[in-house]
Amino acid sequence: MPDSVIPVFDGHNDTLLRHVMNAGTAKEVSFFTDNKKGHIDLPKARKGGLRGGLFAMFVPSKYDDESGVPFDPEDPANFAPIDQPGALNFTNRMFAMARRWERKSDGQVVIVRTIAEARSAMSEGKLAMVMHIEGAEAIDKDFCALEVLYAAGLRSIGPVWSRKNIFADGVPMAFPSSPDTGSGLTDTGRELIVNCNDMGVMIDLSHITEKGFWDVAKLSTKPLVASHSNAHALSPSARNLTDKQLAAIRESRGMVGINYHVAFLRGDGAHDVNTPMDVLVRHAAYLVEKLGEDGVALGSDFDGCLVPDAIKDATGLPKLLEALRQSGFGEKLINKIAHENWLSVLERTGI
Ligand SMILES: [Zn+2]
C-alpha cells in the first residue's frame, strides 16, 4: 500500500451479513478476491486504505434467498420482531465467518480485542476488525450470550436496530421525520447499558429513538457514540441526529461516524446514487462545527446502503478524503476523521 494513502478506520459495514446471506448460493464470493458488486473485500480495502473498522453483525427479520436483498424498507415483515435463539444462531454464523477470514488470511485480517491491538495491526498494513452487534436481539435477558460473545471478541453493541426489542425501540426509515418516534430504554435495556459500561463494550446509538438516546445519555458513564448517522439539520431523516443530540454527544466527548447512504445525506431524502461528494462534505463540516474536531469520523454503511457513485466502494475512500482537503480541511483534521477519532473514542470507552 503506498504511504500516500491515509489509513481509514470505519465505523460501520454490513459485509459479514452479505457474505453469510450469499454463502452456499451462486452469489458466494471470497473475501480475498475482488468482488465486483460488494463494497468491501480485502483487495478493495487495501487499495482504498481501509485498515480497520467495526464489523456489524445484523440479523434481518427476513430475507429473500433468491435476490439476497436483506430487506425492502416498505415491507413491514422486514421490521418484525425476531426471537433470541434464532438471532444468536444467525449471529454465530457471522462471527464464524469473521473468524474464518482471520484464520485463512495468513495474518492479514485480525479480530482485535483492544485498541492497542488495532493500532498495531493497522500500522502493519493489516485489516483490524472490531466485532459489533447491530440490534441486540441475540443477547438474552440474563446476559449469558453477552458474556460468551465478549469472550469471543465482541466490543460494541447497538442495543436496537430499526425494530423494537426487549432493550429499546428503534427509529423507522422515515423521511422527513423527527427521531422522536417511540419509547426509550426498557428495564432490561438499562441493565444492558450498565453491563456494557462495566465490561468495556461500546454502546452505539445509531437507530435508537430520541427517547432511548436520552435514556442512555442519562445512564451511561461512557462517551455517546452514533457509529453511522448524519446531521438532521441537513437531511431530516429519523435516522439522523438533531442539534440537541449533537450537543449531548459533544458534552460526553463522544463521536459521530458519517453515513454514506444517499437518503441520509440528501436534503430531499432521495435514493439517488448521483449524489455529489459535496453533499457528504457539507455534513462533515456541519458535524465538525457542532462536535469539534475530535467528534467526527467515518461510518460508511458499506455493503448495507446506497453509496454515492462518487465513492462507489472502499476504493473510493481516498477520493472522499481528497474532497475534504479540497474544501479546506487540514491534514491533521483529515487524519482524525479518517482513523484517529475512532481509535481515541474506543480507547475512552475502555476498549
Ligand atoms: Zn444501520
Side-chain angles (χ1 to χ4, degrees):
M1 190 185 301
D3 283 349
S4 58
V5 175
I6 294 177
V8 170
F9 185 101
D10 178 66
H12 192 89
N13 70 69
D14 286 308
T15 307
L16 288 167
L17 174 64
R18 177 168 64 83
H19 278 262
V20 163
M21 287 196 306
N22 292 342
T25 74
K27 292 187 163 187
E28 183 167 346
V29 283
S30 164
F31 183 66
F32 301 102
T33 54
D34 191 335
N35 313 160
K36 295 297 168 236
K37 283 189 178 161
H39 293 150
I40 296 178
D41 49 52
L42 196 56
K44 287 198 190 79
R46 284 184 184 289
K47 200 171 169 198
L50 179 67
R51 298 238 189 119
L54 284 117
F55 278 70
M57 295 179 287
F58 165 69
V59 182
S61 291
K62 77 173 183 65
Y63 63 87
D64 180 342
D65 279 317
E66 283 299 300
S67 69
V69 173
F71 67 90
D72 162 7
E74 304 299 319
D75 182 355
N78 286 317
F79 299 86
I82 53 173
D83 69 284
Q84 189 268 329
L88 180 57
N89 186 47
F90 197 94
T91 299
N92 284 339
R93 287 167 65 188
M94 292 181 278
F95 218 135
M97 181 70 75
R99 172 64 193 135
R100 283 186 200 108
W101 291 350
E102 180 182 48
R103 188 159 54 82
K104 293 178 178 175
S105 71
D106 205 14
Q108 294 309 297
V109 177
V110 190
I111 297 173
V112 295
R113 290 166 175 78
T114 65
I115 294 313
E117 284 179 12
R119 286 187 189 280
S120 145
M122 290 173 72
S123 70
E124 290 165 15
K126 297 174 179 176
L127 181 66
M129 300 175 75
V130 176
M131 300 305 291
H132 165 78
I133 277 183
E134 180 174 34
E137 279 87 350
I139 310 289
D140 53 283
K141 65 177 174 41
D142 298 317
F143 302 101
C144 299
L146 178 61
E147 297 288 349
V148 175
L149 289 166
Y150 181 87
L154 182 74
R155 291 296 180 269
S156 172
I157 293 180
V160 71
W161 179 70
S162 294
R163 169 182 65 200
K164 201 170 190 145
N165 64 23
I166 63 167
F167 305 107
D169 195 2
V171 289
M173 311 285 174
F175 188 101
S177 167
S178 151
D180 188 13
T181 59
S183 52
L185 287 178
T186 63
D187 287 345
T188 313
R190 288 177 213 282
E191 283 183 63
L192 176 69
I193 303 306
V194 170
N195 280 322
C196 287
N197 278 177
D198 281 356
M199 295 169 82
V201 172
M202 192 189 85
I203 306 288
D204 178 11
L205 296 167
S206 287
H207 288 279
I208 204 165
T209 60
E210 194 173 350
K211 281 194 180 68
F213 177 96
W214 294 119
D215 286 346
V216 175
K218 219 162 152 190
L219 183 63
S220 179
T221 57
K222 299 293 170 75
L224 302 174
V225 175
S227 70
H228 59 305
S229 295
N230 296 329
H232 195 271
L234 302 185
S235 174
S237 164
R239 275 283 284 103
N240 288 338
L241 299 155
T242 65
D243 286 354
K244 224 177 134 194
Q245 289 176 302
L246 296 175
I249 290 170
R250 181 175 193 150
E251 174 96 353
S252 75
R253 295 185 68 211
M255 214 196 60
V256 174
I258 299 170
N259 189 316
Y260 308 167
H261 182 44
V262 292
F264 302 158
L265 288 170
R266 297 172 62 97
D268 63 3
H271 287 73
D272 183 356
V273 291
N274 295 310
T275 297
M277 196 76 94
D278 284 0
V279 178
L280 191 151
V281 172
R282 274 202 286 279
H283 279 271
Y286 188 86
L287 291 171
V288 168
E289 182 195 320
K290 296 290 175 188
L291 297 165
E293 296 200 350
D294 298 333
V296 186
L298 303 176
S300 67
D301 220 342
F302 276 147
D303 283 322
C305 81
L306 262 189
V307 172
D309 276 349
I311 301 173
K312 191 167 170 266
D313 56 37
T315 63
L317 289 168
K319 277 196 276 181
L320 190 166
L321 299 178
E322 181 57 27
L324 295 179
R325 191 174 287 121
Q326 293 298 323
S327 55
F329 287 58
E331 288 312 303
K332 193 170 167 222
L333 179 54
I334 290 172
N335 274 279
K336 283 185 173 199
I337 292 172
H339 59 268
E340 192 49 48
N341 284 344
W342 258 124
L343 298 172
S344 299
V345 83
L346 287 162
E347 276 173 335
R348 290 200 292 280
T349 304
I351 294 161

